[in-house]
């Protein structure tokens, strides 16, 4: 009898593990999709004439004029690709950050086998309550007693605190009532947005401390907002560490993969579930805070339909709705795909109303492609063991 | 000419050559045993015949014609059915719906004819002598009963060839007897059976021929009458099997590590009292449904309705929380690896490290190097056959999954370890390895409680055997009085100890 051709037992640590390679492969697949989308948008978007600005004597940007062939003074323009220009990319980065931050939280929930439909509503309620607080310290308020940073901190605390609390309540209800998260968060979605509407009576709330707006709108280069981008990076890194390096993250995967087996491993399933909805709520609060600073106002209608974008981002990023699969980096890349499509719809001049249709189709395509990929991987004979 | 022929069947999975040019023939109307170590390729061969997998090369001939079972449906049309080792039903549908899923009785407009559905299911279940309610939801059945429904489905499909992949691994002894009677009947009807099992006695009692596979290769096909158990084991493993008396039996016992007082759970068991000392291996015998697993789960805090007192190393344990029980030093290898033991989307390493996670992490961070080392050590010790510990656990053969379910709790290093059917689906060679490992654990001063339906296993391993019947401790037998017959009598309530 000749010795077995394949390894029998593998006790030795494998340096490049197949699963990690596979994980990398999946995320690199997303990178390919993103590059492809970028190329397509660049090619098909065409170009625009944009006016040239230069710093004037007072330091503010001013239009540059040139004389044309007939000697008249006309605004100078340059031709730019509609998609591939610094301004558009900066905007894309900013828009992606808001969705991506929430998508990381959503991924955690989906990996645990749950779903959170209320993120958009949590975002709205956190925005509105944060805005009401911040307005008390803004220029319009008649009693500014505290230093601006104190006011901003209180506002930020309220905004993120409210969102986290909403997540905690979601999780608490799901665990205590043993109701499917779809139902609880669907209810929460309506209730929380209703509360936001009632508190604001449908009014827009603005007038925040200028320092707050300046901080979040801090830009470099051609309007690249650094703060949302940095926060997104931070959330991604923290989310990634949580999911792949911490014992708590491992428990999230275990619960999503097989709740009973997780229980039989001594994992406190209820506690972990509570935690994942709390995380999802908190990320909605962080996104809401950034948006407050960026847009300078909030209404109860903010974040309408965000749940679709956020869930789409997580799913496109590889999170499996049956639980047990997904990653933070995937969620962020998924958010970028979704935002590129949103932005492409604007740039290509497609009717805005089509955006929901297209995003819906992309989600389905992503899941189908993922299944196909798994299927292929199973079929494909290994080149070598 | 042979009825069913496998000709140079080869099948490669990512990282594993499951079958390497396997050829053998099966006679019509015979019961043909297929045996080999865990991961030898038995299930893969069955699945190829049943159209679940497709061979990379080679051909299958049925009655002289080359067949191509490209899907389970195609296989069924060719008259081939399979009873799978791992469960294969829709858990949310009823028994009747699952049994008739391929061909639901319909009335006009596609309405399902419920009465006809139930009637047909009842007939299929009656044919195999199974007492199962056709309206029960599959997910609520025990693994053993679900297995019976699978058998009913295969037999009822009118197949000419039936592959049974470890059909008895979760059946009670009564159900097993019923199955053996059925197999005899099927053979008399000229139906050809391919029977996979690790229980050597079964093969010798039931089958006419045996084919041995090893590492995906064909070793031999022999008439059962012309071979014997030792010879088959040698062909499977390439070595002799040493049966040793456990060393722990001669050692002195230590302190009382586990004490259970008046443990009850309404509807499951009542007033259970026993104790296990350090270095002791105690068996827990009983028929399926006697409440053995329920007692184990209640001790670990998995039964919220349980009452009574449990002491670990003299300190009373707060019942109802598994993590506190684990922190006190308790551990449990559950009986059902698919449902209770493993998380299928995770890989081998992550599964095996799940119970030991608190030991492997510092301030919440998992120490990956330590994790790999620990899991690797037990995987090597139990000779887990996998391309890599990073491979998805679902890609492992059933027996290898069971080994990892065991490794998960060995890695946890418990003072008191309860193992529930630890060797289910495990090959003879690896079984001996596991017995030796349990013996070593006892030698290290751990207290072990072994729940098993295989009496020879308990008799070989334990110092004492507790017997449960209908939710109560019906007796206790010391090693010098061990006998299979005596134990069976207590289990069935014929005699009291
Ligand atoms: N879907 C799969 N993907 C990758 N490898 C697989 C897959 N299915 C089986 N294998 C590998 O093929 C080999 C043979 O597996 P198989 O399930 O046929 O073993 P077996 O003889 O039935 O073992 P057991 O006695 O444990 O049930 C194993 O090494 C297993 O890891
Ligand atoms: Mg098998």
């Amino acid at each position: 009898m000749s010795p077995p051709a394949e390894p029998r037992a593998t006790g030795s640590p494998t340096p490049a593990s197949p699963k990690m390679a596979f994980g990398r492969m999946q995320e690199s697949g997303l990178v390919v999709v993103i590059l492809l989308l970028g190329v397509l948008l660049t090619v098909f978007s065409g170009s625009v004439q944009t006016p040239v600005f230069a710093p004037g004597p007072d330091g503010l940007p001013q239009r540059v004029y040139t004389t044309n062939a007939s000697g008249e003074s006309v605004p100078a323009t340059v031709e730019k690709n509609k998609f591939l220009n610094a301004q558009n990319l900066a905007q894309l980065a900013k828009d992606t950050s808001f969705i991506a931050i929430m998508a990381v939280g959503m991924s955690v929930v989906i990996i645990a086998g749950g779903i959170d439909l209320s993120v958009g509503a949590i975002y709205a309620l956190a925005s509105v309550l944060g805005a009401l607080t911040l307005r008390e310290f803004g220029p319009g308020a008649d009693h500014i007693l505290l230093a601006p940073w104190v006011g901003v901190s209180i506002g930020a605390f309220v905004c993120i605190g409210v969102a986290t609390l909403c997540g905690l309540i979601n999780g608490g209800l799901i665990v205590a009532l043993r109701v499917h998260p779809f139902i609880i968060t669907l209810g929460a979605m309506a209730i929380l947005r209703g509360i936001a509407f009632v508190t604001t009576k449908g009014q827009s709330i603005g007038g925040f401390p200028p320092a707050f707006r300046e901080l979040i709108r801090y830009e470099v280069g051609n309007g690249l907002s650094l703060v949302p981008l940095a926060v997104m990076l931070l959330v991604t890194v923290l989310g990634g560490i949580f999911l792949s390096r911490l014992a708590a993250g491992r428990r999230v995967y275990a619960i999503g993969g097989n709740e009973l087996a997780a229980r039989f491993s001594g994992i406190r399933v209820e506690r972990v579930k509570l935690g994942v909805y709390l995380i999802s709520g908190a990320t909605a609060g962080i996104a809401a805070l950034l948006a407050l600073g960026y847009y300078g106002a909030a209404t109860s209608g903010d974040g309408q339909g965000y749940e679709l974008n956020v869930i789409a981002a997580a799913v496109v990023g590889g999170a499996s709705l049956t639980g047990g699969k997904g990653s933070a980096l995937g969620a962020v890349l998924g958010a970028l795909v979704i935002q590129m499509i949103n932005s492409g719809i604007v740039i290509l001049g497609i009717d805005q109303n089509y955006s929901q249709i297209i995003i819906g189709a992309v989600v389905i395509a992503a899941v189908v492609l993922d299944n196909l990929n798994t299927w292929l991987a199973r079929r494909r004979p290994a080149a070598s063991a | 000419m042979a009825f069913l022929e496998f000709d140079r069947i080869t099948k490669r999975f990512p990282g594993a050559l499951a079958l390497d040019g396997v050829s053998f023939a099966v006679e019509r109307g015979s019961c043909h045993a297929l045996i080999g170590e865990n991961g030898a390729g038995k299930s893969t061969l069955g699945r190829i015949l049943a159209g679940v997998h497709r061979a990379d090369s080679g051909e299958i001939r049925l009655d002289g014609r080359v067949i191509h079972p490209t899907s389970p449906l195609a296989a069924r049309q060719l008259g081939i059915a399979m009873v799978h080792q791992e469960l294969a039903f829709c858990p949310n549908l009823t028994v009747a719906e699952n049994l008739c899923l391929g061909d639901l009785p319909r009335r006009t407009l596609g309405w399902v004819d419920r009465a006809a559905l139930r009637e047909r299911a009842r007939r299929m279940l009656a044919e195999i002598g199974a007492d199962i309610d056709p309206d029960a939801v599959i997910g609520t059945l025990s693994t053993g009963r679900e297995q019976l429904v699978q058998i009913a489905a295969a037999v009822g499909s009118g197949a000419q060839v039936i592959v049974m992949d470890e059909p008895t691994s979760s059946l009670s002894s009564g159900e097993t007897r019923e199955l053996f009677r059925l197999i005899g009947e099927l053979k008399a009807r000229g139906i050809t059976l391919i029977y996979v099992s690790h229980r050597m006695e079964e093969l010798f009692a039931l089958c006419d021929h045996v084919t041995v596979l090893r590492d995906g290769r064909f070793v031999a096909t022999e008439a059962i009458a012309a071979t014997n158990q030792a010879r088959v084991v040698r062909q499977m493993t390439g070595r002799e099997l040493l049966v040793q008396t456990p060393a722990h039996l001669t050692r002195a016992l230590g302190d009382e590590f586990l004490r259970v007082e008046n443990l009850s759970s309404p509807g499951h068991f009542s007033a259970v009292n026993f104790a296990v000392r350090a270095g002791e291996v105690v068996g827990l015998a009983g028929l399926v449904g006697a409440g053995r697993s329920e007692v184990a789960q209640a001790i670990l805090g998995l039964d919220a309705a349980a009452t009574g007192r449990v002491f670990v190393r003299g300190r009373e344990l707060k019942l109802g929380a598994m993590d506190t029980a684990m922190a006190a030093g308790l551990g449990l290898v559950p009986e059902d690896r698919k449902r209770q033991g493993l998380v299928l989307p995770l890989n081998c390493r992550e599964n095996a490290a799940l119970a030991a996670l608190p030991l492997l992490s510092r301030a919440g961070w998992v120490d990956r190097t330590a994790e790999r080392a620990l899991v690797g050590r037990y995987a090597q010790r139990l000779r887990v056959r996998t391309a890599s510990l990073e491979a998805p656990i679902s890609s492992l053969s059933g027996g290898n999954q069971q080994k990892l379910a065991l490794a998960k709790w060995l890695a946890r290093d418990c003072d008191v370890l309860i193992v529930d059917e630890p060797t289910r689906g495990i090959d003879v060679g690896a079984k001996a390895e596991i017995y030796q490992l349990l013996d070593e654990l006892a030698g290290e001063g751990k207290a072990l409680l072994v729940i098993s339906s295989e009496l020879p296993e308990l008799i070989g391993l334990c110092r004492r055997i507790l017997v449960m019947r209908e939710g109560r401790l019906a007796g206790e037998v010391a090693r010098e009085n061990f006998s299979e017959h005596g134990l069976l009598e207590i289990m069935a309530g014929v005699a009291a100890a």
Side-chain angles (χ1 to χ4, degrees):
Chain A
M1 206 48 28
S2 54
E6 307 288 333
R8 287 200 53 91
T10 37
S12 55
T14 29
S17 55
K19 162 129 192 238
M20 277 163 71
F22 181 70
R24 240 179 257 136
M25 203 175 80
Q26 215 175 25
E27 272 135 23
S28 61
L30 269 173
V31 172
V32 171
V33 169
I34 288 165
L35 291 178
L36 213 68
L37 263 175
V39 170
L40 282 176
L41 285 174
T42 308
V43 171
F44 287 106
S45 63
S47 54
V48 275
Q49 302 287 327
T50 49
V52 180
F53 289 89
D58 54 359
L60 292 174
Q62 283 188 339
R63 277 195 162 193
V64 177
Y65 291 84
T66 52
T67 39
N68 66 4
S70 48
E72 295 162 34
S73 179
V74 292
T77 57
V78 285
E79 201 173 279
K80 281 184 182 168
N81 185 286
K82 267 196 201 166
F83 175 75
L84 200 64
N85 70 65
Q87 250 162 333
N88 185 56
L89 291 183
Q91 186 174 348
L92 180 64
K94 178 209 69 188
D95 290 341
T96 303
S97 336
F98 299 153
I99 294 293
I101 290 168
M102 290 197 267
V104 171
M106 182 65 75
S107 270
V108 175
V109 171
I110 291 180
I111 291 168
I115 188 85
D116 187 354
L117 297 176
S118 65
V119 281
I122 293 181
Y123 173 96
L125 186 63
S127 289
V128 162
L129 295 182
L132 285 170
T133 315
L134 283 166
R135 191 171 65 179
E136 293 304 308
F137 302 97
D142 42 29
H143 51 279
I144 309 175
L145 306 166
L146 302 161
W149 67 266
V150 179
V152 172
S153 308
I154 295 177
F157 178 78
V158 168
C159 185
I160 297 178
V162 163
T164 310
L165 189 68
C166 290
L168 192 67
I169 294 173
N170 270 341
L173 289 175
I174 289 164
V175 168
L177 303 179
R178 293 169 201 254
V179 176
H180 195 280
F182 191 96
I183 308 293
I184 297 285
T185 59
L186 185 69
M189 173 177 159
I191 294 170
L192 297 177
R193 195 172 288 285
I195 296 175
F197 184 80
V198 173
T199 349
T200 58
K201 302 183 184 68
Q203 303 292 311
S204 166
I205 297 157
F208 306 152
F212 173 54
R213 301 213 53 205
E214 278 157 22
L215 171 70
I216 292 191
R217 289 188 73 107
Y218 174 76
E219 287 174 357
V220 293
N222 253 321
L224 182 66
S225 305
L226 278 190
V227 176
L229 217 56
V231 173
M232 174 185 81
L233 268 163
L234 187 70
V235 169
T236 314
V237 169
L238 290 180
I241 288 175
F242 173 78
L243 284 173
S244 65
R245 291 280 181 264
L246 298 192
R250 193 71 69 76
R251 297 195 179 103
V252 171
Y253 283 97
I255 284 178
N258 183 349
E259 192 175 319
L260 189 63
R263 229 177 259 286
F264 269 77
S265 307
I267 294 173
R268 290 200 181 176
V269 173
E270 284 72 26
R271 194 188 274 190
V272 177
K273 280 192 180 172
L274 211 62
V276 300
Y277 290 96
L278 183 140
I279 289 174
S280 171
T283 54
I286 294 170
L289 183 67
L290 292 174
L292 274 184
Y294 197 85
Y295 299 114
T299 74
S300 60
D302 284 351
Q304 194 93 50
Y306 270 21
E307 53 282 340
L308 173 67
N309 286 320
V310 171
I311 293 171
V315 170
V316 169
S320 156
L321 286 172
T322 48
K325 268 195 284 186
S327 73
L329 181 60
V332 172
L333 295 177
L336 183 55
V337 170
I338 299 291
Q339 275 312 319
M340 282 176 88
I341 293 169
N342 271 330
S343 144
I345 288 165
V346 177
I347 288 169
L348 300 180
I350 302 172
D351 188 338
Q352 279 283 315
N353 295 321
Y354 284 91
S355 88
Q356 302 269 321
I357 299 178
I358 296 177
I359 288 180
V362 167
V363 174
I364 294 174
V367 174
V368 171
L369 279 177
D370 184 43
N371 286 349
L372 199 69
N373 192 13
T374 324
W375 183 76
L376 281 176
R378 215 179 289 151
R379 290 250 139 175
R380 201 180 308 124
S384 65
Chain B
M1 186 191 54
F3 177 55
L4 174 64
E5 280 172 290
F6 295 92
D7 190 3
R8 282 163 295 159
I9 302 286
T10 297
K11 175 75 188 174
R12 187 180 272 280
F13 287 111
L17 185 59
L19 291 171
D20 186 4
V22 171
S23 309
F24 66 94
V26 179
E27 280 171 25
R28 186 196 295 270
S30 71
C31 182
H32 195 107
L34 200 54
I35 195 166
E37 291 185 295
N38 295 130
K42 306 177 296 293
S43 298
T44 305
L45 191 75
R47 290 192 196 125
I48 288 173
L49 182 64
V52 179
H53 291 319
R54 234 180 282 186
D56 296 340
S57 65
E59 59 185 34
I60 303 174
R61 285 185 294 272
L62 186 66
D63 234 352
R65 268 187 324 124
V66 177
I67 57 166
H68 301 280
T70 48
S71 70
L73 185 66
R76 188 181 304 174
Q77 281 158 357
L78 289 163
I80 300 162
M82 178 162 180
V83 177
H84 291 276
Q85 177 180 16
E86 309 297 345
L87 307 172
F89 277 133
C90 306
N92 52 338
L93 297 185
T94 66
V95 169
E97 284 162 342
N98 269 296
L99 278 176
C100 306
L101 210 51
D103 174 31
L104 288 171
R106 254 163 297 202
R107 289 194 291 215
T108 43
L109 294 175
W111 283 72
V112 174
D113 185 344
R114 294 238 139 227
L117 177 77
R118 201 166 302 136
E119 189 41 46
R120 194 187 314 163
R122 187 161 315 169
R123 240 183 299 120
M124 287 163 91
L125 290 165
E127 174 152 19
I128 67 156
D131 171 32
I132 295 174
D133 176 12
D135 290 323
V137 174
I138 285 282
T140 64
L141 298 182
S142 69
T143 312
R145 318 221 89 201
E146 195 173 338
Q147 201 108 39
L148 283 179
V149 179
Q150 275 208 60
I151 294 168
V155 172
S157 70
Q160 285 308 297
V161 180
I162 300 179
V163 185
M164 294 196 180
D165 196 356
E166 301 192 29
T168 55
S169 61
S170 344
L171 296 189
S172 70
S173 49
E175 288 162 341
T176 304
R177 235 174 297 124
E178 192 64 23
L179 177 68
F180 290 175
R181 183 195 58 75
L182 176 75
I183 287 176
E185 229 169 74
L186 293 174
K187 270 165 58 176
R189 269 196 253 158
I191 290 173
T192 309
L193 289 155
I194 295 180
Y195 191 89
V196 181
S197 177
H198 290 295
R199 297 191 180 160
M200 210 67 84
E201 325 80 62
E202 281 179 9
L203 304 190
F204 279 85
L206 279 178
C207 301
D208 310 303
H209 297 273
V210 57
T211 291
V212 182
L213 295 182
R214 181 162 151 210
D215 292 326
R217 296 199 197 94
F218 170 81
V219 178
T221 296
E222 287 180 316
I224 284 284
T227 185
N228 58 52
Q229 294 199 14
R231 185 177 157 86
V232 171
V233 169
R234 208 162 40 239
Q235 286 166 334
M236 278 171 66
T237 62
R239 60 201 160 86
E240 299 290 338
L241 206 59
L242 292 176
V243 185
Q244 293 169 321
T245 323
H248 72 82
L249 292 170
T250 56
R251 289 208 188 84
L253 294 181
D255 299 337
E256 194 173 86
F257 264 20
L258 175 70
R259 167 163 213 89
V260 175
E261 283 182 5
N262 229 347
L263 195 67
S264 304
S265 173
H268 297 299
F269 55 88
S270 58
V272 172
N273 291 286
F274 67 90
V276 185
R277 292 169 65 180
E280 193 177 24
V281 182
V282 176
L284 189 53
L287 299 173
V288 172
R292 296 167 299 165
S293 304
E294 286 80 0
V295 167
Q297 288 166 20
I299 293 172
L300 265 289
L302 288 161
D303 180 352
T307 56
R309 305 173 79 184
V310 172
F311 299 85
V312 182
R313 304 185 81 158
R315 299 200 27 198
E316 180 159 10
L317 184 73
K318 196 179 138 285
L319 281 181
M322 175 123 177
D323 55 340
T324 17
M326 280 167 67
L330 286 172
L332 167 67
V333 178
E335 106 187 277
D336 187 337
R337 63 166 173 269
K338 264 277 151 66
R339 290 183 191 167
Q340 303 162 337
L342 302 173
V343 181
L344 289 186
L346 298 187
N347 66 28
C348 301
R349 169 179 53 81
E350 290 162 336
N351 265 293
L354 207 52
L357 220 44
L359 313 182
L360 289 169
S361 49
R362 202 160 298 153
W365 286 71
V366 180
D367 180 347
R368 290 224 178 173
T369 322
E371 183 188 6
R372 262 187 224 114
L374 185 68
V375 171
R377 193 164 75 233
Y378 285 106
Q380 198 134 45
R381 181 68 206 273
L382 293 171
R383 300 193 302 137
V384 174
R385 191 185 148 113
T386 168
S388 148
L389 286 176
E390 305 296 321
I393 194 134
S394 52
S395 74
L396 265 59
S397 79
N400 284 302
Q401 291 184 12
Q402 178 69 25
K403 290 181 191 172
L404 279 176
L406 202 61
K408 168 178 167 181
W409 285 98
L410 297 176
R412 167 75 198 199
D413 193 26
C414 312
D415 287 340
V416 181
L417 184 62
I418 306 179
V419 290
D420 196 351
E421 306 288 358
T423 58
R424 177 173 285 172
I426 283 190
D427 70 57
V428 280
K431 261 186 197 169
E433 188 71 31
I434 288 170
Y435 298 150
Q436 203 188 329
L437 233 157
L438 293 177
D439 185 26
E440 275 169 33
L441 286 180
E444 287 165 24
K446 317 274 187 205
L448 296 173
L449 182 66
V450 183
I451 303 176
S452 176
S453 298
E454 291 186 43
L455 289 179
E457 180 164 298
L458 295 180
I459 289 173
L461 205 57
C462 302
R463 197 185 277 249
R464 276 185 298 139
I465 296 178
L466 307 170
V467 184
M468 277 192 81
R469 173 162 45 86
E470 290 169 3
R472 289 175 181 278
L473 272 188
E476 179 178 331
V477 184
R479 186 165 183 100
E480 52 277 16
N481 301 328
F482 281 176
S483 85
E484 219 168 307
H485 183 75
L487 287 166
L488 276 170
E489 282 190 336
I490 307 176
M491 282 160 66
V494 184

